Amino acid sequence: MRIPLVRHALLPLLAAFVLAGCHGKDDPTQPGGSTPVAAVQSSVELLKKGDIAGLWKHALPPADYATLRADWAKRDPNQPPITEQDRARFDETLQKFTAPDAEQKLYAELEPKLTQMEAQYKDQLPVLISMGDALVKRGIAQNATLDAQQKTQANAVIDVLTPWAQKTPWFDQAKAKQAVHVAVTTVRQLDLKSPEALRTMDFDTAMKKYAIGYEGAKQLLAIYGLSVDDTLDSIKLSELENKDGHAKVKIDYTLLGKPLSTETEMVEVDGRWYSQSMLKNARQSHQEQANAAPAPAGSAD
């Protein structure tokens, strides 16, 4: 993929989670929104449907969306070649999830490991999660791209997720069996054929794969008590500012039963409203790709 996959694959999902509303109806198939609230409402409707392709089309002005699709078709000149070892690992992993008896074998392999891990880490897990909480918060504090308000909002989310993670029965055998079923089903639906196919996948195909992966991830989280849909359904919007083509929207929502809020900046382009951060990231990605120089011959790792 031509826009860096790890960095930007989940961008529409994360941005749409922040940009969600419950009023201000608009046509979600159209780019942007007639108002800031309408724009975010359409984003959440598309996300609930799992329409990742539609989300990108809605979230960017037509010219930027066209640029995104054009960049997708360009091969990254700095990608190292796929080796036979890479291909063998890919095939081995894929076979584990697609074999006729994949669920039974994977769970049989996982069951004794869960028992062992529960005996070793059950009492230590809350402490380890607390340590992870501290590390994440330190990273947030040191992040130069976040302002003070954004850091406060991010820490509030961590304060909700940490107790959930500490109390979640991660070693529960029944839940693990459900999770294996979801994982196997998701991988089969992805229908991946080869590592080469991942690199040459066109935009529309990639968006369909992302939608499948997103649905699988939601099901996995739900097994352990975190419902993404419930959080999206809880969101309420209120417009705080709207002046000279820039607006600020407050988002109130409930995460795991806890009320939280955040704010997002919107920008008007050709009479339609878009997420300022999403538009900035898309344009920055395009510029980075345009400036990328091919790696010297023989430099691939």
Side-chain angles (χ1 to χ4, degrees), residues 21 28 53 61 96 126 144 147 155 177 185 190 215 241 258 284 288:
K96 285 184 177 181
D147 60 31
N155 283 326
K177 197 167 188 178
T185 301
L190 286 170
E215 182 59 32
E241 299 175 9
K258 304 294 184 181
Q284 181 180 339
E288 289 174 356

Side-chain angles (χ1 to χ4, degrees), residues 263-282:
E263 295 177 5
T264 186
E265 303 282 344
M266 305 295 289
V267 62
E268 189 176 19
V269 179
D270 297 330
R272 303 289 289 178
W273 289 91
Y274 302 90
S275 161
Q276 181 170 287
S277 61
M278 206 165 178
L279 180 56
K280 178 182 177 181
N281 282 324

Side-chain angles (χ1 to χ4, degrees), residues 15-26 35-48 55 58 229-239 249-253 262 264 266:
F17 177 84
V18 174
L19 298 178
C22 62
H23 57 282
K25 292 290 185 178
D26 233 3
T35 67
V37 169
V40 298
Q41 169 63 25
S42 292
S43 292
V44 75
E45 288 179 1
L46 290 164
L47 189 56
K48 285 180 180 179
L55 179 58
H58 161 74
D229 285 335
D230 284 352
T231 299
L232 293 173
D233 286 339
S234 73
I235 294 172
K236 311 292 182 183
L237 296 184
S238 56
E239 189 174 274
V249 177
K250 182 184 179 184
I251 303 108
D252 294 297
Y253 64 99
T262 187
T264 186
M266 305 295 289

Side-chain angles (χ1 to χ4, degrees), residues 112-133:
K113 293 181 180 178
L114 283 174
T115 302
Q116 180 183 0
M117 291 174 66
E118 183 175 21
Q120 291 181 335
Y121 300 113
K122 183 177 181 179
D123 295 334
Q124 302 177 35
L125 192 59
V127 177
L128 295 173
I129 291 174
S130 293
M131 293 172 61
D133 172 281

